[in-house]
Amino acid sequence: MKMLGRTLLTLSLLGAMATGVQANDKVLRVYNWSDYIAPDTVKKFEDETGIQVTYDVFDSNETLEARLLAGKSGYDLVVPSNSFLAKQVKAGVYQTLDKSKLPNWKNLNPVLLKNASASDPDNAHAFPYMWGSIGIGFNPEKVKEVLGANAPTNSWDLLFKPENAEKLKACGISFLDSPTEMIPAALHYLGYPVNDQDKAHIAEAEALFMKIRPSVSYFHSSKYISDLANGNICVAVGYSGDVLQAKARALEAGDKVKIDYSIPKEGAGSFYDMVAIPRDAANVENAYLFMNFLMRPDVIADITNNIGYSNANAAATPLVDEAIRNDPGSYPSQEVMATLYAIPDMPIGVQRVMTRGWTKVKLGK
Ligand code: N2P
């Protein structure tokens, strides 16, 4: 009797603890891209809700995906790009959103929602946070010094022509460390479809990188922001807003480094970064609160004003600094938009082939 009583007590205590975890835990774990939020966004949310946020960062879809596919990621909110989201949705990685918990959904731009729905029908699992392009960040003065006044900064020739890369080596070149984004750039340059699955064509794209490999300082997806800003490198293939951050940092530092961003005339990759709740998230209600918070025009406009990326919130546009709204890197013209291609959603097998080839490119052999 006594034993049974104790067992029941233990069980009911455990039950109370389990429900307690759902209802009372004032915590949230967020995994977002680096340099992708305003300095006070998280604090503001914590102050308003009393929820403690653990905020971690990554700088490539490959890193996030490895974390998600390894099983319990431990995160309540993550931010994959649309190309990766598509595959992950199919693999059952995310919860279907209950939009009744997201009253601020109405603020989102319907055109961008429709575009993003190509990777997630009906936007059932995620909303677009920011979007951008993958182009060339460069230091115009240094590039001019090395290649002369006619340096093709508006073309991928700047980097993919070995004779140019060889000269630029003197002032430093970097590429993103992301096979799923860099190999399509080379495929496109070679005249192949960006979602080409022909292994011979993918090998050609890798060979193009191999040719310029000796001239590349490094492959990294976030370090170039400070290196461009402080003059350690002169050309970086990078994300639009990150290059704008480098430009802003250089200006703030008041030194002579100037940075520009170009979307090469041949076209460039574009992405939507999407906020989603992993299936095994422990703090789902808090995840909804943070999602809804991020859909508030004042909150998301403040983020854009700090990071230089265009958000997907129509109601926030009037609150975005004019300098950013008028920056062709953040808000390209319709004409330039038409040259952008979506980073393709590659089947896992092809992605593996690309990753293997990319490892060789990085090693240079
Ligand atoms: C943030 C980079 C986000 C854009 N540093 C790439 N999805």
Side-chain angles (χ1 to χ4, degrees):
M1 190 60 206
K2 201 171 164 209
M3 275 306 284
L4 182 63
R6 187 174 296 164
T7 309
L8 281 177
L9 181 67
T10 311
L11 281 177
S12 65
L13 266 179
L14 280 176
M17 275 164 67
T19 41
V21 166
Q22 283 301 318
N24 302 325
D25 247 16
K26 293 282 232 178
V27 295
L28 176 69
R29 286 175 58 88
V30 178
Y31 199 32
N32 192 6
W33 292 80
S34 50
D35 306 295
Y36 222 30
I37 201 154
D40 60 347
T41 313
V42 168
K43 170 144 194 330
K44 213 162 158 188
F45 176 76
E46 290 180 330
D47 290 348
E48 284 184 20
T49 60
I51 294 167
Q52 279 292 314
V53 180
T54 303
Y55 186 87
D56 294 336
V57 296
F58 56 86
D59 69 2
S60 79
N61 276 299
E62 285 83 350
T63 304
L64 169 62
E65 182 160 270
R67 204 61 205 252
L68 289 168
L69 298 184
K72 207 160 164 39
S73 71
Y75 290 106
D76 304 308
L77 271 188
V78 295
V79 191
S81 298
N82 55 325
S83 52
F84 276 70
L85 176 84
K87 207 175 347 149
Q88 292 158 357
V89 162
K90 284 180 209 140
V93 169
Y94 299 117
Q95 307 206 358
T96 304
L97 294 179
D98 176 353
K99 291 182 188 153
S100 71
K101 294 184 175 162
L102 299 168
N104 289 335
W105 187 277
K106 63 176 190 302
N107 297 325
L108 301 176
N109 181 329
V111 176
L112 299 188
L113 277 175
K114 185 157 183 292
N115 291 351
S117 73
S119 318
D120 178 26
D122 301 324
N123 307 107
H125 302 86
F127 80 92
Y129 175 64
M130 299 281 163
W131 62 275
S133 57
I134 302 174
I136 302 177
F138 64 101
N139 178 324
E141 277 157 22
K142 287 203 176 177
V143 171
K144 205 159 115 191
E145 256 170 54
V146 172
L147 287 179
N150 293 328
T153 50
N154 65 340
S155 164
W156 288 108
D157 284 345
L158 184 72
L159 292 164
F160 285 140
K161 281 218 158 122
E163 61 270 31
N164 291 337
E166 266 160 37
K167 291 187 188 137
L168 290 168
K169 180 182 181 177
C171 56
I173 297 175
S174 79
F175 281 86
L176 293 173
D177 184 8
S178 170
T180 51
E181 291 170 338
M182 293 297 90
I183 291 175
L187 285 170
H188 188 66
Y189 182 73
L190 292 167
Y192 296 126
V194 290
N195 61 351
D196 201 331
Q197 296 184 19
D198 184 328
K199 291 199 180 124
H201 296 166
I202 294 174
E204 253 184 80
E206 284 159 16
L208 182 62
F209 275 108
M210 251 347 173
K211 257 193 247 159
I212 58 169
R213 175 67 186 93
S215 307
V216 177
S217 305
Y218 61 78
F219 296 84
H220 196 281
S221 299
S222 51
K223 193 166 126 58
Y224 63 94
I225 304 179
S226 51
D227 281 345
L228 272 178
N230 61 28
N232 281 348
I233 54 172
C234 61
V235 184
V237 174
Y239 302 121
S240 46
D242 287 8
V243 174
L244 293 181
Q245 288 178 43
K247 184 176 177 171
R249 281 192 210 176
L251 270 177
E252 269 162 35
D255 41 26
K256 297 209 178 60
V257 178
K258 280 207 199 81
I259 305 297
D260 277 333
Y261 178 69
S262 120
I263 297 179
K265 63 175 192 292
E266 299 88 353
S270 64
F271 55 83
Y272 288 92
D273 288 328
M274 313 290 301
V275 184
I277 308 178
R279 180 161 296 282
D280 55 7
N283 306 289
V284 176
E285 295 309 315
N286 297 346
Y288 275 109
L289 289 176
F290 196 63
M291 270 190 163
N292 199 46
F293 179 77
L294 290 177
M295 291 175 195
R296 237 166 67 184
D298 61 316
V299 171
I300 198 77
D302 183 46
I303 299 176
T304 287
N305 290 339
N306 275 278
I307 64 172
Y309 282 93
S310 340
N311 61 63
N313 191 305
T317 307
L319 306 175
V320 171
D321 290 346
E322 220 166 296
I324 295 180
R325 263 190 284 151
N326 293 334
D327 190 300
S330 291
Y331 288 83
S333 66
Q334 284 306 316
E335 209 182 11
V336 172
M337 290 280 277
T339 67
L340 299 179
Y341 59 81
I343 297 294
D345 162 24
M346 289 295 199
I348 203 92
V350 180
Q351 198 180 312
R352 248 181 239 131
V353 171
M354 287 183 168
T355 305
R356 268 201 299 273
W358 193 245
T359 305
K360 285 195 210 142
V361 167
K362 287 198 288 178
L363 288 170
K365 55 186 179 196

mmCIF file of all heavy atoms in Angstrom, residues 323-353:
data_model
loop_
_atom_site.group_PDB
_atom_site.id
_atom_site.type_symbol
_atom_site.label_atom_id
_atom_site.label_comp_id
_atom_site.label_asym_id
_atom_site.label_seq_id
_atom_site.Cartn_x
_atom_site.Cartn_y
_atom_site.Cartn_z
ATOM 1 N N ALA A 323 18.134 54.878 -46.940
ATOM 2 C CA ALA A 323 19.423 54.497 -47.542
ATOM 3 C C ALA A 323 19.415 53.014 -47.913
ATOM 4 O O ALA A 323 19.972 52.624 -48.946
ATOM 5 C CB ALA A 323 20.549 54.798 -46.565
ATOM 6 N N ILE A 324 18.787 52.182 -47.084
ATOM 7 C CA ILE A 324 18.756 50.741 -47.383
ATOM 8 C C ILE A 324 17.745 50.463 -48.493
ATOM 9 O O ILE A 324 18.013 49.705 -49.419
ATOM 10 C CB ILE A 324 18.427 49.933 -46.112
ATOM 11 C CG1 ILE A 324 19.559 50.102 -45.099
ATOM 12 C CG2 ILE A 324 18.195 48.451 -46.442
ATOM 13 C CD1 ILE A 324 19.384 49.371 -43.801
ATOM 14 N N ARG A 325 16.593 51.127 -48.393
ATOM 15 C CA ARG A 325 15.567 50.919 -49.433
ATOM 16 C C ARG A 325 16.076 51.327 -50.805
ATOM 17 O O ARG A 325 15.684 50.770 -51.823
ATOM 18 C CB ARG A 325 14.311 51.718 -49.098
ATOM 19 C CG ARG A 325 13.285 50.853 -48.395
ATOM 20 C CD ARG A 325 11.972 51.580 -48.289
ATOM 21 N NE ARG A 325 12.006 52.592 -47.248
ATOM 22 C CZ ARG A 325 11.271 53.709 -47.267
ATOM 23 N NH1 ARG A 325 10.469 53.957 -48.278
ATOM 24 N NH2 ARG A 325 11.335 54.557 -46.271
ATOM 25 N N ASN A 326 16.967 52.313 -50.825
ATOM 26 C CA ASN A 326 17.481 52.784 -52.120
ATOM 27 C C ASN A 326 18.781 52.106 -52.514
ATOM 28 O O ASN A 326 19.359 52.434 -53.554
ATOM 29 C CB ASN A 326 17.711 54.301 -52.079
ATOM 30 C CG ASN A 326 16.397 55.035 -51.945
ATOM 31 O OD1 ASN A 326 15.362 54.516 -52.352
ATOM 32 N ND2 ASN A 326 16.417 56.213 -51.352
ATOM 33 N N ASP A 327 19.267 51.209 -51.673
ATOM 34 C CA ASP A 327 20.534 50.545 -52.015
ATOM 35 C C ASP A 327 20.255 49.416 -53.014
ATOM 36 O O ASP A 327 19.500 48.496 -52.712
ATOM 37 C CB ASP A 327 21.184 49.982 -50.740
ATOM 38 C CG ASP A 327 22.594 49.521 -51.012
ATOM 39 O OD1 ASP A 327 22.781 48.617 -51.878
ATOM 40 O OD2 ASP A 327 23.518 50.055 -50.392
ATOM 41 N N PRO A 328 20.876 49.487 -54.183
ATOM 42 C CA PRO A 328 20.579 48.455 -55.194
ATOM 43 C C PRO A 328 21.056 47.056 -54.786
ATOM 44 O O PRO A 328 20.611 46.061 -55.354
ATOM 45 C CB PRO A 328 21.327 48.946 -56.435
ATOM 46 C CG PRO A 328 22.351 49.914 -55.933
ATOM 47 C CD PRO A 328 21.842 50.487 -54.650
ATOM 48 N N GLY A 329 21.952 46.986 -53.785
ATOM 49 C CA GLY A 329 22.382 45.668 -53.301
ATOM 50 C C GLY A 329 21.284 45.016 -52.476
ATOM 51 O O GLY A 329 21.035 43.817 -52.582
ATOM 52 N N SER A 330 20.595 45.804 -51.646
ATOM 53 C CA SER A 330 19.519 45.258 -50.802
ATOM 54 C C SER A 330 18.220 45.138 -51.576
ATOM 55 O O SER A 330 17.501 44.153 -51.458
ATOM 56 C CB SER A 330 19.245 46.184 -49.613
ATOM 57 O OG SER A 330 20.313 46.177 -48.724
ATOM 58 N N TYR A 331 17.901 46.192 -52.307
ATOM 59 C CA TYR A 331 16.645 46.216 -53.060
ATOM 60 C C TYR A 331 16.962 46.436 -54.533
ATOM 61 O O TYR A 331 16.889 47.564 -55.030
ATOM 62 C CB TYR A 331 15.729 47.329 -52.530
ATOM 63 C CG TYR A 331 15.136 47.029 -51.161
ATOM 64 C CD1 TYR A 331 15.841 47.268 -49.995
ATOM 65 C CD2 TYR A 331 13.850 46.482 -51.055
ATOM 66 C CE1 TYR A 331 15.303 46.971 -48.750
ATOM 67 C CE2 TYR A 331 13.298 46.196 -49.813
ATOM 68 C CZ TYR A 331 14.031 46.446 -48.668
ATOM 69 O OH TYR A 331 13.485 46.148 -47.435
ATOM 70 N N PRO A 332 17.354 45.353 -55.245
ATOM 71 C CA PRO A 332 17.737 45.513 -56.650
ATOM 72 C C PRO A 332 16.542 45.952 -57.507
ATOM 73 O O PRO A 332 15.393 45.715 -57.141
ATOM 74 C CB PRO A 332 18.196 44.116 -57.067
ATOM 75 C CG PRO A 332 18.209 43.276 -55.841
ATOM 76 C CD PRO A 332 17.417 43.959 -54.784
ATOM 77 N N SER A 333 16.858 46.572 -58.649
ATOM 78 C CA SER A 333 15.799 46.973 -59.579
ATOM 79 C C SER A 333 15.128 45.720 -60.141
ATOM 80 O O SER A 333 15.694 44.623 -60.103
ATOM 81 C CB SER A 333 16.421 47.771 -60.727
ATOM 82 O OG SER A 333 17.258 46.904 -61.481
ATOM 83 N N GLN A 334 13.954 45.916 -60.732
ATOM 84 C CA GLN A 334 13.233 44.794 -61.355
ATOM 85 C C GLN A 334 14.103 44.123 -62.411
ATOM 86 O O GLN A 334 14.116 42.906 -62.546
ATOM 87 C CB GLN A 334 11.940 45.294 -62.012
ATOM 88 C CG GLN A 334 10.827 45.602 -61.028
ATOM 89 C CD GLN A 334 10.517 44.427 -60.104
ATOM 90 O OE1 GLN A 334 10.431 43.282 -60.555
ATOM 91 N NE2 GLN A 334 10.381 44.688 -58.814
ATOM 92 N N GLU A 335 14.847 44.966 -63.126
ATOM 93 C CA GLU A 335 15.700 44.475 -64.206
ATOM 94 C C GLU A 335 16.770 43.514 -63.655
ATOM 95 O O GLU A 335 17.009 42.441 -64.200
ATOM 96 C CB GLU A 335 16.369 45.692 -64.835
ATOM 97 C CG GLU A 335 16.721 45.558 -66.271
ATOM 98 C CD GLU A 335 17.435 46.830 -66.753
ATOM 99 O OE1 GLU A 335 17.815 47.686 -65.915
ATOM 100 O OE2 GLU A 335 17.627 46.932 -67.967
ATOM 101 N N VAL A 336 17.394 43.945 -62.548
ATOM 102 C CA VAL A 336 18.441 43.100 -61.949
ATOM 103 C C VAL A 336 17.806 41.865 -61.296
ATOM 104 O O VAL A 336 18.322 40.749 -61.411
ATOM 105 C CB VAL A 336 19.270 43.917 -60.924
ATOM 106 C CG1 VAL A 336 20.221 43.021 -60.151
ATOM 107 C CG2 VAL A 336 20.052 45.010 -61.644
ATOM 108 N N MET A 337 16.664 42.072 -60.670
ATOM 109 C CA MET A 337 15.958 40.937 -60.037
ATOM 110 C C MET A 337 15.736 39.811 -61.050
ATOM 111 O O MET A 337 15.813 38.637 -60.726
ATOM 112 C CB MET A 337 14.575 41.377 -59.517
ATOM 113 C CG MET A 337 14.613 42.292 -58.327
ATOM 114 S SD MET A 337 14.881 41.425 -56.798
ATOM 115 C CE MET A 337 13.251 40.885 -56.417
ATOM 116 N N ALA A 338 15.451 40.232 -62.293
ATOM 117 C CA ALA A 338 15.148 39.246 -63.322
ATOM 118 C C ALA A 338 16.370 38.381 -63.655
ATOM 119 O O ALA A 338 16.236 37.301 -64.232
ATOM 120 C CB ALA A 338 14.632 39.946 -64.568
ATOM 121 N N THR A 339 17.570 38.852 -63.278
ATOM 122 C CA THR A 339 18.773 38.062 -63.586
ATOM 123 C C THR A 339 19.118 37.086 -62.443
ATOM 124 O O THR A 339 20.029 36.277 -62.582
ATOM 125 C CB THR A 339 20.013 38.972 -63.804
ATOM 126 O OG1 THR A 339 20.353 39.599 -62.560
ATOM 127 C CG2 THR A 339 19.756 40.028 -64.854
ATOM 128 N N LEU A 340 18.419 37.199 -61.330
ATOM 129 C CA LEU A 340 18.741 36.331 -60.185
ATOM 130 C C LEU A 340 18.132 34.941 -60.391
ATOM 131 O O LEU A 340 17.038 34.806 -60.940
ATOM 132 C CB LEU A 340 18.197 36.931 -58.879
ATOM 133 C CG LEU A 340 18.737 38.304 -58.474
ATOM 134 C CD1 LEU A 340 18.087 38.772 -57.176
ATOM 135 C CD2 LEU A 340 20.253 38.270 -58.326
ATOM 136 N N TYR A 341 18.849 33.929 -59.956
ATOM 137 C CA TYR A 341 18.288 32.575 -59.992
ATOM 138 C C TYR A 341 18.182 32.064 -58.556
ATOM 139 O O TYR A 341 18.960 32.485 -57.687
ATOM 140 C CB TYR A 341 19.144 31.630 -60.846
ATOM 141 C CG TYR A 341 20.586 31.492 -60.386
ATOM 142 C CD1 TYR A 341 20.933 30.638 -59.336
ATOM 143 C CD2 TYR A 341 21.609 32.224 -60.990
ATOM 144 C CE1 TYR A 341 22.241 30.529 -58.901
ATOM 145 C CE2 TYR A 341 22.925 32.123 -60.563
ATOM 146 C CZ TYR A 341 23.220 31.274 -59.519
ATOM 147 O OH TYR A 341 24.513 31.171 -59.077
ATOM 148 N N ALA A 342 17.205 31.193 -58.335
ATOM 149 C CA ALA A 342 17.053 30.626 -56.991
ATOM 150 C C ALA A 342 18.112 29.543 -56.784
ATOM 151 O O ALA A 342 18.363 28.731 -57.687
ATOM 152 C CB ALA A 342 15.665 30.030 -56.838
ATOM 153 N N ILE A 343 18.757 29.544 -55.624
ATOM 154 C CA ILE A 343 19.698 28.458 -55.313
ATOM 155 C C ILE A 343 18.900 27.154 -55.370
ATOM 156 O O ILE A 343 17.853 27.032 -54.741
ATOM 157 C CB ILE A 343 20.288 28.647 -53.894
ATOM 158 C CG1 ILE A 343 21.098 29.939 -53.816
ATOM 159 C CG2 ILE A 343 21.125 27.443 -53.469
ATOM 160 C CD1 ILE A 343 22.355 29.973 -54.655
ATOM 161 N N PRO A 344 19.375 26.188 -56.192
ATOM 162 C CA PRO A 344 18.547 24.996 -56.401
ATOM 163 C C PRO A 344 18.489 24.058 -55.191
ATOM 164 O O PRO A 344 19.419 24.004 -54.396
ATOM 165 C CB PRO A 344 19.234 24.308 -57.571
ATOM 166 C CG PRO A 344 20.638 24.792 -57.549
ATOM 167 C CD PRO A 344 20.615 26.169 -56.974
ATOM 168 N N ASP A 345 17.374 23.370 -55.125
ATOM 169 C CA ASP A 345 17.171 22.348 -54.100
ATOM 170 C C ASP A 345 17.656 21.030 -54.704
ATOM 171 O O ASP A 345 16.979 20.443 -55.543
ATOM 172 C CB ASP A 345 15.658 22.319 -53.801
ATOM 173 C CG ASP A 345 15.219 21.052 -53.102
ATOM 174 O OD1 ASP A 345 16.047 20.409 -52.448
ATOM 175 O OD2 ASP A 345 14.009 20.729 -53.217
ATOM 176 N N MET A 346 18.865 20.619 -54.330
ATOM 177 C CA MET A 346 19.468 19.433 -54.943
ATOM 178 C C MET A 346 19.122 18.174 -54.145
ATOM 179 O O MET A 346 19.145 18.203 -52.916
ATOM 180 C CB MET A 346 20.988 19.574 -54.968
ATOM 181 C CG MET A 346 21.472 20.606 -55.952
ATOM 182 S SD MET A 346 21.068 20.073 -57.628
ATOM 183 C CE MET A 346 22.178 21.089 -58.559
ATOM 184 N N PRO A 347 18.864 17.072 -54.850
ATOM 185 C CA PRO A 347 18.640 15.816 -54.119
ATOM 186 C C PRO A 347 19.874 15.488 -53.280
ATOM 187 O O PRO A 347 21.008 15.840 -53.662
ATOM 188 C CB PRO A 347 18.464 14.770 -55.222
ATOM 189 C CG PRO A 347 18.330 15.521 -56.493
ATOM 190 C CD PRO A 347 18.822 16.910 -56.294
ATOM 191 N N ILE A 348 19.644 14.793 -52.184
ATOM 192 C CA ILE A 348 20.716 14.547 -51.227
ATOM 193 C C ILE A 348 21.934 13.865 -51.871
ATOM 194 O O ILE A 348 23.079 14.193 -51.558
ATOM 195 C CB ILE A 348 20.166 13.772 -50.001
ATOM 196 C CG1 ILE A 348 21.046 13.989 -48.787
ATOM 197 C CG2 ILE A 348 19.937 12.307 -50.262
ATOM 198 C CD1 ILE A 348 20.602 15.142 -47.943
ATOM 199 N N GLY A 349 21.685 12.965 -52.851
ATOM 200 C CA GLY A 349 22.787 12.246 -53.506
ATOM 201 C C GLY A 349 23.681 13.216 -54.279
ATOM 202 O O GLY A 349 24.916 13.119 -54.222
ATOM 203 N N VAL A 350 23.065 14.152 -54.990
ATOM 204 C CA VAL A 350 23.838 15.123 -55.774
ATOM 205 C C VAL A 350 24.586 16.058 -54.814
ATOM 206 O O VAL A 350 25.743 16.435 -55.036
ATOM 207 C CB VAL A 350 22.905 15.932 -56.707
ATOM 208 C CG1 VAL A 350 23.691 16.942 -57.522
ATOM 209 C CG2 VAL A 350 22.115 15.008 -57.614
ATOM 210 N N GLN A 351 23.881 16.399 -53.734
ATOM 211 C CA GLN A 351 24.523 17.268 -52.734
ATOM 212 C C GLN A 351 25.794 16.608 -52.190
ATOM 213 O O GLN A 351 26.806 17.262 -51.981
ATOM 214 C CB GLN A 351 23.524 17.514 -51.597
ATOM 215 C CG GLN A 351 23.887 18.706 -50.735
ATOM 216 C CD GLN A 351 22.869 18.900 -49.617
ATOM 217 O OE1 GLN A 351 21.664 18.886 -49.855
ATOM 218 N NE2 GLN A 351 23.335 19.046 -48.401
ATOM 219 N N ARG A 352 25.720 15.290 -52.010
ATOM 220 C CA ARG A 352 26.903 14.577 -51.505
ATOM 221 C C ARG A 352 28.065 14.650 -52.491
ATOM 222 O O ARG A 352 29.215 14.857 -52.115
ATOM 223 C CB ARG A 352 26.542 13.110 -51.239
ATOM 224 C CG ARG A 352 26.580 12.823 -49.763
ATOM 225 C CD ARG A 352 26.266 11.388 -49.463
ATOM 226 N NE ARG A 352 25.111 11.334 -48.602
ATOM 227 C CZ ARG A 352 24.051 10.589 -48.775
ATOM 228 N NH1 ARG A 352 23.965 9.782 -49.827
ATOM 229 N NH2 ARG A 352 23.066 10.615 -47.925
ATOM 230 N N VAL A 353 27.714 14.475 -53.781
ATOM 231 C CA VAL A 353 28.754 14.558 -54.829
ATOM 232 C C VAL A 353 29.418 15.942 -54.775
ATOM 233 O O VAL A 353 30.648 16.080 -54.829
ATOM 234 C CB VAL A 353 28.121 14.325 -56.231
ATOM 235 C CG1 VAL A 353 29.112 14.632 -57.344
ATOM 236 C CG2 VAL A 353 27.601 12.896 -56.347
#
